Amino acid sequence: MISLAALLKNRGMRLIDLARELEVDKATVSRWNANGVPHKRVEDVEIATGIPACDIRPDFARVFVKKAKTQ
């Protein structure tokens, strides 16, 4: 899995930028970088960064595809 930091870097962002955007502590986003973004926050990260949910959590890709088809 590509780290959140690497995904953000491709968008010209840093972990601290995401933390500020989502109004969470940088330590929280650092945990997400190490352990993966919690499924409850994937959509928030997608909206804040423009990074597709399936890139943020490829292990949940099937869930995101099904969700997109039903919308």
Side-chain angles (χ1 to χ4, degrees):
M1 179 175 359
I2 298 174
S3 72
L4 181 58
L7 292 170
L8 291 170
K9 186 176 180 181
N10 290 338
R11 302 272 176 166
M13 295 179 73
R14 301 170 297 158
L15 294 174
I16 189 69
D17 299 324
L18 179 59
R20 288 180 182 144
E21 181 71 26
L22 297 179
E23 298 180 352
V24 298
D25 192 77
K26 184 183 182 291
T28 299
V29 177
S30 292
R31 270 193 311 278
W32 297 352
N33 186 55
N35 304 321
V37 177
H39 72 278
K40 293 180 181 180
R41 297 307 303 260
V42 170
E43 188 173 12
D44 296 332
V45 174
E46 180 180 37
I47 291 167
T49 64
I51 299 169
C54 60
D55 290 343
I56 297 166
R57 286 297 302 259
D59 53 329
F60 290 158
R62 252 194 241 161
V63 174
F64 300 126
V65 170
K66 287 180 184 176
K67 183 179 175 182
K69 287 181 181 178
T70 61
Q71 291 181 353

